[in-house]
Each structure stands twice: as C-alpha cells, then as structure tokens.
Amino acid sequence: SMKMNKGKININVKMNNTNQCIIDIIDSGNGIPRKDWKNIFKPGFSTKKRGWGLGLSLTQRIIEKMHHGKIWVHKSIPGETIIRILI
C-alpha cells in the first residue's frame, strides 16, 4: 500500500537450486508492522480507509491452491518491504 505516484515497486525473479521460482515484489512504502505480517493475508484485513481487504487473501489463495506455492512477508522496514512468492 503506497500513496499514489509516490515510491517504487521492483520485481525480481530467480530460480533456486531446487528449480523453484522465487519472485520478490519490493516496494518503497511505509512498511508493514511485524504484528500484521500474517494478518495482511486474512480476508477483510486492511489499513486503508477504502477497500475490501481482499487483494492479498485472493493472491495467497491462487498461489497456494492453484500453483502449490507459498507467499509471505520476507522483510518489511520503512522504505523497503519484500513480499516473496515461491512457486
């Protein structure tokens, strides 16, 4: 969650030694408090005033159920959050 027209988002893709794809989505936003790292994937959870809080829960469901992968917060500090996907 970043303010419109503020910050950067980078995507890095690489293969690990077991031939799995690692996708890192890195943004320069405010960061996610550690207490919310698991909550952000729960349906309805949001820190925004608007929205339904469904984006990350749907993303997690697609990655885990359809692609048999995993998604998690790898790192989050102000100025750098890394969401990692392993497929």
Coordinates of all heavy atoms in Angstrom, one line a residue:
S1 N 0.8 -1.2 0.0 CA 0.0 0.0 0.0 C 0.9 1.2 0.0 O 1.6 1.5 1.0 CB -0.9 0.0 1.2 OG -1.6 1.2 1.4
M2 N 0.9 1.9 -1.1 CA 1.7 3.2 -1.2 C 0.8 4.3 -1.7 O -0.2 4.0 -2.4 CB 2.8 3.0 -2.2 CG 3.9 2.0 -1.7 SD 5.4 2.0 -2.7 CE 4.9 1.9 -4.3
K3 N 1.2 5.5 -1.4 CA 0.4 6.6 -1.9 C 0.6 6.8 -3.4 O 1.7 6.4 -3.9 CB 0.9 7.9 -1.1 CG 0.6 7.9 0.3 CD 1.1 9.1 1.0 CE 0.7 9.0 2.5 NZ 1.3 10.0 3.3
M4 N -0.4 7.2 -4.0 CA -0.4 7.3 -5.5 C 0.7 8.2 -5.9 O 1.0 9.3 -5.4 CB -1.7 7.9 -6.0 CG -1.9 7.8 -7.5 SD -3.5 8.3 -8.0 CE -4.4 6.9 -7.6
N5 N 1.4 7.7 -7.0 CA 2.6 8.5 -7.6 C 3.7 8.7 -6.6 O 4.5 9.6 -6.8 CB 2.1 9.8 -8.2 CG 1.0 9.6 -9.2 OD1 1.1 8.6 -10.0 ND2 0.1 10.5 -9.3
K6 N 3.8 7.9 -5.6 CA 4.9 8.0 -4.6 C 5.6 6.7 -4.5 O 4.9 5.7 -4.3 CB 4.4 8.5 -3.2 CG 3.7 9.8 -3.2 CD 4.7 11.0 -3.3 CE 3.9 12.2 -3.2 NZ 4.7 13.4 -3.3
G7 N 6.9 6.6 -4.6 CA 7.6 5.4 -4.3 C 7.9 4.5 -5.6 O 7.5 4.9 -6.7
K8 N 8.5 3.4 -5.3 CA 8.9 2.5 -6.4 C 8.4 1.1 -6.1 O 8.4 0.7 -4.9 CB 10.4 2.5 -6.6 CG 10.9 3.8 -7.1 CD 12.4 3.8 -7.4 CE 13.2 2.7 -6.7 NZ 14.7 2.8 -7.0
I9 N 8.2 0.3 -7.1 CA 7.9 -1.2 -7.0 C 8.9 -1.9 -8.0 O 8.9 -1.5 -9.2 CB 6.5 -1.5 -7.3 CG1 5.5 -0.9 -6.3 CG2 6.3 -3.1 -7.3 CD1 4.1 -1.1 -6.6
N10 N 9.6 -2.8 -7.4 CA 10.5 -3.6 -8.3 C 10.1 -5.1 -8.1 O 9.7 -5.5 -7.1 CB 12.0 -3.5 -7.8 CG 12.5 -2.1 -8.1 OD1 12.3 -1.6 -9.2 ND2 13.2 -1.5 -7.2
I11 N 10.3 -5.8 -9.2 CA 10.0 -7.3 -9.2 C 11.3 -8.0 -9.6 O 11.8 -7.7 -10.7 CB 8.9 -7.6 -10.1 CG1 7.6 -6.9 -9.6 CG2 8.7 -9.2 -10.1 CD1 6.4 -7.1 -10.6
N12 N 11.8 -8.9 -8.8 CA 13.0 -9.7 -9.1 C 12.5 -11.2 -9.2 O 11.8 -11.7 -8.3 CB 14.0 -9.6 -8.0 CG 14.6 -8.2 -7.9 OD1 14.6 -7.4 -8.9 ND2 15.1 -7.8 -6.7
V13 N 13.0 -11.8 -10.2 CA 12.7 -13.2 -10.4 C 14.0 -14.0 -10.6 O 14.8 -13.6 -11.3 CB 11.8 -13.4 -11.7 CG1 11.4 -14.9 -11.9 CG2 10.5 -12.6 -11.6
K14 N 14.0 -15.2 -9.9 CA 15.2 -16.0 -10.0 C 14.8 -17.5 -9.7 O 13.7 -17.7 -9.1 CB 16.4 -15.6 -9.1 CG 16.0 -15.6 -7.6 CD 17.1 -15.0 -6.8 CE 16.7 -14.9 -5.3 NZ 17.7 -14.3 -4.5
M15 N 15.6 -18.4 -10.0 CA 15.4 -19.8 -9.7 C 16.3 -20.2 -8.6 O 17.5 -19.8 -8.5 CB 15.7 -20.7 -11.0 CG 14.9 -20.4 -12.2 SD 13.1 -20.6 -12.0 CE 13.1 -22.4 -12.1
N16 N 15.8 -21.1 -7.7 CA 16.7 -21.6 -6.6 C 17.3 -22.9 -7.1 O 17.1 -23.4 -8.2 CB 15.9 -21.7 -5.3 CG 14.9 -22.7 -5.3 OD1 14.7 -23.5 -6.2 ND2 14.0 -22.7 -4.2
N17 N 18.1 -23.5 -6.2 CA 18.8 -24.7 -6.5 C 17.9 -26.0 -6.6 O 18.3 -27.0 -7.0 CB 20.0 -25.0 -5.6 CG 19.5 -25.1 -4.1 OD1 18.3 -25.0 -3.8 ND2 20.4 -25.3 -3.2
T18 N 16.6 -25.9 -6.2 CA 15.7 -27.0 -6.4 C 14.7 -26.7 -7.6 O 13.6 -27.3 -7.6 CB 14.9 -27.2 -5.1 OG1 14.2 -26.1 -4.7 CG2 15.8 -27.6 -4.0
N19 N 15.1 -25.8 -8.4 CA 14.3 -25.5 -9.7 C 13.0 -24.9 -9.4 O 12.0 -25.0 -10.1 CB 14.2 -26.7 -10.6 CG 14.2 -26.3 -12.0 OD1 14.8 -25.3 -12.4 ND2 13.6 -27.0 -12.9
Q20 N 12.9 -24.1 -8.2 CA 11.7 -23.4 -7.9 C 11.9 -21.9 -8.3 O 13.0 -21.4 -8.2 CB 11.3 -23.5 -6.5 CG 10.9 -24.9 -6.0 CD 10.7 -25.0 -4.5 OE1 11.6 -24.7 -3.8 NE2 9.5 -25.3 -4.1
C21 N 10.8 -21.2 -8.6 CA 10.9 -19.8 -9.0 C 10.6 -19.0 -7.7 O 9.7 -19.2 -7.0 CB 9.8 -19.5 -10.1 SG 9.9 -17.8 -10.6
I22 N 11.6 -18.1 -7.5 CA 11.4 -17.1 -6.4 C 11.1 -15.7 -7.0 O 11.9 -15.2 -7.8 CB 12.7 -17.0 -5.6 CG1 13.1 -18.4 -5.0 CG2 12.6 -15.9 -4.5 CD1 14.4 -18.4 -4.3
I23 N 10.0 -15.2 -6.6 CA 9.5 -13.9 -7.1 C 9.5 -12.9 -5.9 O 8.8 -13.2 -4.9 CB 8.2 -13.9 -7.7 CG1 8.2 -15.0 -8.9 CG2 7.7 -12.6 -8.3 CD1 6.8 -15.4 -9.3
D24 N 10.3 -11.9 -5.9 CA 10.3 -10.9 -4.9 C 9.6 -9.6 -5.4 O 10.0 -9.1 -6.4 CB 11.7 -10.5 -4.4 CG 12.3 -11.6 -3.5 OD1 11.6 -12.4 -3.0 OD2 13.6 -11.6 -3.4
I25 N 8.6 -9.1 -4.7 CA 8.0 -7.9 -5.0 C 8.4 -6.9 -3.9 O 8.2 -7.1 -2.7 CB 6.4 -8.0 -5.0 CG1 6.0 -8.9 -6.2 CG2 5.8 -6.6 -5.3 CD1 5.7 -10.3 -5.8
I26 N 9.1 -5.9 -4.3 CA 9.8 -5.0 -3.4 C 9.2 -3.6 -3.6 O 9.2 -3.1 -4.7 CB 11.3 -4.9 -3.7 CG1 11.9 -6.4 -3.6 CG2 12.0 -4.0 -2.7 CD1 13.2 -6.5 -4.4
D27 N 8.7 -3.0 -2.5 CA 8.3 -1.6 -2.7 C 9.0 -0.7 -1.7 O 9.6 -1.1 -0.7 CB 6.7 -1.5 -2.5 CG 6.2 -1.7 -1.1 OD1 6.9 -1.3 -0.2 OD2 5.1 -2.2 -1.0
S28 N 8.8 0.6 -1.9 CA 9.5 1.6 -1.1 C 8.5 2.3 -0.1 O 8.7 3.5 0.2 CB 10.2 2.6 -1.9 OG 9.3 3.3 -2.8
G29 N 7.4 1.6 0.2 CA 6.4 2.2 1.1 C 6.7 2.3 2.5 O 7.9 2.2 2.9
N30 N 5.7 2.5 3.3 CA 5.9 2.7 4.8 C 6.3 1.5 5.6 O 6.7 1.6 6.7 CB 4.6 3.3 5.4 CG 4.3 4.6 4.8 OD1 5.1 5.4 4.5 ND2 3.0 4.9 4.8
G31 N 6.1 0.3 5.0 CA 6.4 -0.9 5.7 C 5.2 -1.5 6.4 O 4.2 -0.8 6.5
I32 N 5.3 -2.7 6.8 CA 4.2 -3.4 7.5 C 4.7 -3.8 8.9 O 5.7 -4.4 9.0 CB 3.8 -4.7 6.7 CG1 3.5 -4.4 5.3 CG2 2.7 -5.5 7.4 CD1 3.5 -5.6 4.4
P33 N 3.9 -3.4 9.9 CA 4.3 -3.7 11.3 C 4.4 -5.3 11.4 O 3.5 -6.0 10.9 CB 3.2 -3.2 12.1 CG 2.6 -2.1 11.3 CD 2.7 -2.5 9.9
R34 N 5.4 -5.8 12.1 CA 5.6 -7.2 12.2 C 4.3 -7.9 12.7 O 4.0 -9.0 12.3 CB 6.8 -7.5 13.1 CG 7.1 -9.0 13.2 CD 8.6 -9.2 13.3 NE 8.9 -10.6 13.3 CZ 9.5 -11.2 12.2 NH1 9.7 -10.5 11.1 NH2 9.8 -12.4 12.3
K35 N 3.6 -7.3 13.6 CA 2.3 -7.9 14.2 C 1.3 -8.1 13.1 O 0.4 -9.0 13.3 CB 1.8 -7.0 15.3 CG 1.2 -5.7 14.8 CD 0.6 -4.9 16.0 CE 0.1 -3.5 15.5 NZ -1.0 -3.6 14.6
D36 N 1.4 -7.5 11.9 CA 0.4 -7.6 10.9 C 0.9 -8.5 9.7 O 0.2 -8.7 8.8 CB 0.1 -6.2 10.3 CG -0.8 -5.4 11.2 OD1 -1.5 -6.0 12.1 OD2 -0.7 -4.2 11.1
W37 N 2.1 -9.1 9.8 CA 2.6 -9.9 8.7 C 1.7 -11.0 8.3 O 1.6 -11.3 7.1 CB 4.0 -10.4 9.0 CG 5.1 -9.3 8.9 CD1 4.9 -8.0 8.9 CD2 6.5 -9.6 8.8 NE1 6.2 -7.4 8.8 CE2 7.1 -8.3 8.8 CE3 7.3 -10.7 8.8 CZ2 8.5 -8.2 8.7 CZ3 8.7 -10.6 8.7 CH2 9.3 -9.3 8.6
K38 N 1.1 -11.7 9.3 CA 0.2 -12.8 8.9 C -1.2 -12.2 8.6 O -2.0 -12.8 7.8 CB 0.1 -13.8 10.1 CG 1.4 -14.5 10.2 CD 1.2 -15.9 10.7 CE 2.5 -16.6 11.0 NZ 3.2 -17.0 9.9
N39 N -1.6 -11.1 9.3 CA -2.9 -10.6 9.1 C -3.2 -10.0 7.7 O -4.3 -10.1 7.3 CB -3.2 -9.4 10.1 CG -3.2 -9.9 11.6 OD1 -3.6 -11.0 11.8 ND2 -2.8 -9.0 12.5
I40 N -2.2 -9.6 7.0 CA -2.4 -9.0 5.7 C -3.0 -10.0 4.7 O -3.5 -9.6 3.7 CB -1.1 -8.3 5.1 CG1 0.0 -9.3 4.9 CG2 -0.7 -7.2 6.0 CD1 1.1 -8.8 4.1
F41 N -2.8 -11.3 5.0 CA -3.4 -12.3 4.1 C -4.8 -12.8 4.5 O -5.3 -13.7 3.9 CB -2.4 -13.5 4.1 CG -1.1 -13.1 3.5 CD1 0.0 -13.0 4.3 CD2 -0.9 -12.9 2.1 CE1 1.3 -12.6 3.7 CE2 0.3 -12.5 1.6 CZ 1.4 -12.4 2.4
K42 N -5.3 -12.2 5.6 CA -6.7 -12.6 6.1 C -7.7 -11.8 5.3 O -7.6 -10.6 5.2 CB -6.8 -12.4 7.6 CG -6.0 -13.3 8.4 CD -6.2 -13.1 9.9 CE -5.3 -14.0 10.7 NZ -5.4 -13.7 12.1
P43 N -8.8 -12.4 4.8 CA -9.8 -11.7 4.1 C -10.4 -10.6 5.0 O -10.7 -10.8 6.2 CB -10.9 -12.7 3.8 CG -10.2 -14.0 3.9 CD -9.1 -13.8 4.9
G44 N -10.5 -9.4 4.5 CA -11.1 -8.3 5.2 C -10.1 -7.4 5.9 O -10.5 -6.3 6.4
F45 N -8.9 -7.8 6.1 CA -7.9 -7.0 6.8 C -7.4 -5.9 5.9 O -7.0 -6.2 4.7 CB -6.7 -7.9 7.3 CG -5.7 -7.0 8.0 CD1 -5.9 -6.8 9.3 CD2 -4.6 -6.5 7.4 CE1 -5.0 -6.0 10.0 CE2 -3.7 -5.8 8.0 CZ -3.8 -5.5 9.4
S46 N -7.4 -4.7 6.4 CA -6.9 -3.6 5.6 C -6.5 -2.4 6.6 O -7.1 -2.3 7.6 CB -8.0 -3.1 4.6 OG -7.4 -2.0 3.9
T47 N -5.5 -1.7 6.2 CA -5.2 -0.5 6.9 C -5.6 0.8 6.2 O -5.4 1.9 6.7 CB -3.6 -0.4 7.1 OG1 -3.0 -0.4 5.9 CG2 -3.1 -1.6 8.0
K48 N -6.3 0.6 5.1 CA -6.7 1.7 4.3 C -8.2 2.1 4.7 O -8.9 1.3 5.2 CB -6.8 1.3 2.8 CG -5.4 1.0 2.2 CD -5.6 0.7 0.7 CE -4.3 0.3 0.1 NZ -4.5 -0.1 -1.3
K49 N -8.5 3.3 4.4 CA -9.9 3.8 4.7 C -10.9 3.2 3.7 O -12.0 3.0 4.0 CB -9.9 5.3 4.7 CG -9.2 5.9 5.8 CD -9.3 7.4 5.7 CE -8.4 8.0 6.9 NZ -8.4 9.5 6.8
R50 N -10.4 3.0 2.5 CA -11.2 2.4 1.4 C -10.7 1.1 1.0 O -9.5 0.8 1.1 CB -11.3 3.4 0.2 CG -11.8 4.7 0.5 CD -11.9 5.6 -0.7 NE -12.8 5.0 -1.6 CZ -13.0 5.4 -2.8 NH1 -12.3 6.4 -3.3 NH2 -13.9 4.8 -3.6
G51 N -11.6 0.2 0.5 CA -11.2 -1.1 0.0 C -11.8 -2.2 0.9 O -12.3 -2.0 2.0
W52 N -11.7 -3.4 0.4 CA -12.3 -4.5 1.0 C -11.3 -5.4 1.7 O -11.7 -6.4 2.4 CB -13.1 -5.3 -0.1 CG -14.3 -4.6 -0.6 CD1 -14.3 -3.3 -1.2 CD2 -15.6 -5.0 -0.6 NE1 -15.6 -3.0 -1.5 CE2 -16.4 -4.0 -1.1 CE3 -16.2 -6.2 -0.1 CZ2 -17.8 -4.2 -1.3 CZ3 -17.6 -6.3 -0.3 CH2 -18.4 -5.3 -0.8
G53 N -10.0 -5.2 1.5 CA -9.1 -6.1 2.1 C -9.1 -7.5 1.6 O -8.8 -8.5 2.3
L54 N -9.3 -7.6 0.3 CA -9.3 -9.0 -0.3 C -8.2 -9.3 -1.3 O -7.9 -10.5 -1.6 CB -10.6 -9.1 -1.1 CG -11.9 -9.1 -0.3 CD1 -13.1 -9.1 -1.2 CD2 -12.0 -10.2 0.7
G55 N -7.4 -8.3 -1.7 CA -6.4 -8.5 -2.7 C -5.3 -9.5 -2.3 O -5.1 -10.5 -3.0
L56 N -4.7 -9.4 -1.1 CA -3.7 -10.3 -0.7 C -4.2 -11.7 -0.3 O -3.6 -12.7 -0.5 CB -2.8 -9.8 0.4 CG -1.8 -8.7 -0.1 CD1 -1.1 -8.1 1.1 CD2 -0.8 -9.2 -1.0
S57 N -5.4 -11.7 0.2 CA -6.0 -13.0 0.5 C -6.3 -13.8 -0.7 O -6.1 -15.0 -0.8 CB -7.3 -12.9 1.4 OG -8.3 -12.3 0.7
L58 N -6.8 -13.1 -1.8 CA -7.0 -13.8 -3.1 C -5.7 -14.2 -3.7 O -5.6 -15.3 -4.3 CB -7.8 -12.9 -4.0 CG -9.3 -12.7 -3.6 CD1 -9.9 -11.6 -4.5 CD2 -10.1 -14.0 -3.7
T59 N -4.7 -13.4 -3.6 CA -3.4 -13.7 -4.2 C -2.9 -14.9 -3.5 O -2.4 -15.9 -4.2 CB -2.5 -12.5 -4.0 OG1 -3.0 -11.4 -4.6 CG2 -1.1 -12.8 -4.5
Q60 N -2.9 -15.0 -2.2 CA -2.4 -16.2 -1.4 C -3.2 -17.4 -1.8 O -2.6 -18.5 -2.1 CB -2.6 -15.9 0.1 CG -2.0 -17.1 0.9 CD -2.3 -16.9 2.4 OE1 -3.4 -16.5 2.8 NE2 -1.2 -17.1 3.2
R61 N -4.5 -17.3 -2.0 CA -5.3 -18.5 -2.3 C -4.9 -19.0 -3.7 O -4.7 -20.2 -3.9 CB -6.7 -18.1 -2.3 CG -7.7 -19.2 -2.5 CD -9.1 -18.8 -2.2 NE -10.0 -19.9 -2.3 CZ -11.3 -19.8 -2.2 NH1 -11.8 -18.6 -2.0 NH2 -12.0 -20.8 -2.3
I62 N -4.7 -18.1 -4.7 CA -4.3 -18.5 -6.0 C -2.9 -19.2 -6.0 O -2.7 -20.2 -6.6 CB -4.3 -17.3 -7.0 CG1 -5.8 -16.9 -7.2 CG2 -3.6 -17.6 -8.3 CD1 -5.9 -15.5 -7.9
I63 N -2.0 -18.6 -5.3 CA -0.6 -19.1 -5.3 C -0.6 -20.5 -4.6 O 0.1 -21.4 -5.1 CB 0.3 -18.1 -4.6 CG1 0.5 -16.9 -5.5 CG2 1.7 -18.7 -4.2 CD1 1.2 -15.7 -4.8
E64 N -1.3 -20.6 -3.5 CA -1.2 -21.8 -2.7 C -2.1 -22.9 -3.3 O -1.6 -24.1 -3.4 CB -1.6 -21.6 -1.3 CG -0.6 -20.8 -0.5 CD -0.9 -20.5 0.9 OE1 -2.0 -20.9 1.4 OE2 -0.1 -19.9 1.6
K65 N -3.3 -22.6 -3.7 CA -4.2 -23.7 -4.2 C -4.0 -24.1 -5.7 O -4.1 -25.2 -6.0 CB -5.7 -23.2 -4.0 CG -6.1 -22.9 -2.6 CD -6.1 -24.1 -1.7 CE -6.6 -23.7 -0.3 NZ -6.3 -24.6 0.7
M66 N -3.7 -23.1 -6.5 CA -3.6 -23.4 -7.9 C -2.2 -23.7 -8.4 O -2.0 -24.5 -9.3 CB -4.2 -22.2 -8.7 CG -5.7 -21.9 -8.5 SD -6.4 -20.7 -9.5 CE -6.5 -21.6 -11.0
H67 N -1.2 -23.1 -7.7 CA 0.2 -23.2 -8.1 C 1.0 -24.0 -7.1 O 2.2 -24.2 -7.3 CB 0.8 -21.9 -8.4 CG 0.1 -21.1 -9.5 ND1 0.2 -21.5 -10.8 CD2 -0.7 -20.0 -9.4 CE1 -0.5 -20.6 -11.5 NE2 -1.0 -19.7 -10.7
H68 N 0.4 -24.4 -6.0 CA 1.0 -25.2 -4.9 C 2.3 -24.4 -4.4 O 3.3 -25.1 -4.1 CB 1.4 -26.6 -5.4 CG 0.2 -27.3 -5.9 ND1 -0.9 -27.7 -5.1 CD2 -0.2 -27.6 -7.2 CE1 -1.8 -28.2 -5.9 NE2 -1.4 -28.2 -7.1
G69 N 2.2 -23.1 -4.3 CA 3.3 -22.3 -3.9 C 3.1 -21.7 -2.5 O 2.2 -22.1 -1.8
K70 N 3.9 -20.7 -2.2 CA 3.8 -20.0 -0.9 C 4.0 -18.5 -1.1 O 4.8 -18.1 -2.1 CB 4.9 -20.5 0.1 CG 4.7 -22.0 0.5 CD 5.7 -22.4 1.5 CE 5.5 -23.8 1.9 NZ 6.5 -24.3 2.8
I71 N 3.5 -17.7 -0.3 CA 3.7 -16.3 -0.3 C 3.8 -15.8 1.2 O 3.1 -16.3 2.0 CB 2.5 -15.5 -1.0 CG1 2.8 -14.0 -1.1 CG2 1.2 -15.8 -0.4 CD1 1.9 -13.2 -2.0
W72 N 4.7 -14.9 1.4 CA 4.9 -14.4 2.8 C 5.6 -13.1 2.7 O 6.2 -12.7 1.7 CB 5.7 -15.4 3.7 CG 7.1 -15.7 3.3 CD1 8.2 -15.0 3.8 CD2 7.6 -16.6 2.3 NE1 9.3 -15.5 3.2 CE2 9.0 -16.5 2.3 CE3 7.0 -17.5 1.5 CZ2 9.8 -17.2 1.5 CZ3 7.8 -18.2 0.6 CH2 9.2 -18.1 0.7
V73 N 5.6 -12.4 3.9 CA 6.4 -11.2 4.0 C 7.8 -11.6 4.4 O 8.1 -12.2 5.4 CB 5.9 -10.3 5.1 CG1 6.7 -9.0 5.3 CG2 4.4 -9.9 4.9
H74 N 8.8 -11.3 3.5 CA 10.1 -11.7 3.7 C 10.9 -10.7 4.6 O 11.7 -11.1 5.4 CB 10.8 -11.9 2.4 CG 12.3 -12.3 2.4 ND1 12.6 -13.6 2.8 CD2 13.4 -11.7 2.2 CE1 13.9 -13.7 2.8 NE2 14.4 -12.5 2.4
K75 N 10.5 -9.4 4.3 CA 11.2 -8.3 5.1 C 10.3 -7.1 5.0 O 9.7 -6.9 4.0 CB 12.5 -8.0 4.4 CG 13.3 -6.8 5.0 CD 14.5 -6.6 4.2 CE 15.3 -5.3 4.7 NZ 16.5 -5.0 4.0
S76 N 10.2 -6.3 6.0 CA 9.5 -5.1 6.0 C 10.0 -4.1 7.0 O 10.0 -4.3 8.2 CB 8.0 -5.3 6.2 OG 7.3 -4.1 5.9
I77 N 10.6 -3.0 6.5 CA 11.0 -1.9 7.3 C 10.5 -0.6 6.5 O 10.2 -0.7 5.3 CB 12.5 -1.9 7.5 CG1 13.3 -1.8 6.1 CG2 13.0 -3.1 8.3 CD1 14.8 -1.6 6.2
P78 N 10.4 0.5 7.2 CA 10.1 1.7 6.4 C 11.0 1.9 5.2 O 12.2 1.9 5.4 CB 10.2 2.8 7.5 CG 9.9 2.1 8.8 CD 10.6 0.8 8.6
G79 N 10.5 2.0 4.1 CA 11.2 2.2 2.9 C 11.5 1.0 2.1 O 12.0 1.1 0.9
E80 N 11.3 -0.2 2.6 CA 11.5 -1.4 1.9 C 10.7 -2.6 2.5 O 10.9 -3.0 3.6 CB 13.0 -1.8 1.9 CG 13.2 -3.1 1.1 CD 14.7 -3.5 1.1 OE1 15.3 -3.6 2.1 OE2 15.2 -3.9 0.0
T81 N 9.8 -3.1 1.7 CA 9.0 -4.3 2.0 C 9.2 -5.3 0.9 O 9.1 -4.9 -0.3 CB 7.5 -4.0 2.2 OG1 7.4 -3.1 3.3 CG2 6.7 -5.2 2.4
I82 N 9.5 -6.5 1.3 CA 9.7 -7.6 0.3 C 8.6 -8.6 0.6 O 8.6 -9.2 1.6 CB 11.1 -8.2 0.4 CG1 12.2 -7.1 0.1 CG2 11.2 -9.3 -0.7 CD1 13.6 -7.6 0.4
I83 N 7.8 -8.8 -0.4 CA 6.8 -10.0 -0.4 C 7.4 -11.0 -1.3 O 7.7 -10.8 -2.5 CB 5.4 -9.6 -0.9 CG1 4.8 -8.4 -0.1 CG2 4.5 -10.8 -0.9 CD1 4.5 -8.7 1.3
R84 N 7.6 -12.2 -0.8 CA 8.2 -13.3 -1.5 C 7.2 -14.4 -1.9 O 6.4 -14.8 -1.1 CB 9.4 -13.9 -0.7 CG 10.1 -15.1 -1.5 CD 11.4 -15.4 -0.9 NE 12.4 -14.3 -1.3 CZ 13.6 -14.2 -0.9 NH1 14.1 -15.1 -0.1 NH2 14.4 -13.3 -1.3
I85 N 7.3 -14.8 -3.1 CA 6.5 -15.9 -3.7 C 7.4 -17.0 -4.1 O 8.4 -16.7 -4.8 CB 5.6 -15.4 -4.9 CG1 4.7 -14.2 -4.4 CG2 4.8 -16.6 -5.5 CD1 4.1 -13.5 -5.6
L86 N 7.1 -18.2 -3.7 CA 7.9 -19.4 -4.1 C 6.9 -20.3 -4.8 O 5.9 -20.8 -4.3 CB 8.5 -20.1 -2.9 CG 9.3 -21.3 -3.1 CD1 10.6 -20.9 -3.8 CD2 9.7 -21.9 -1.8
I87 N 7.3 -20.6 -6.1 CA 6.4 -21.5 -6.9 C 7.4 -22.6 -7.5 O 8.4 -22.3 -8.0 CB 5.7 -20.7 -8.1 CG1 4.8 -19.7 -7.4 CG2 5.0 -21.7 -9.0 CD1 4.0 -18.9 -8.4

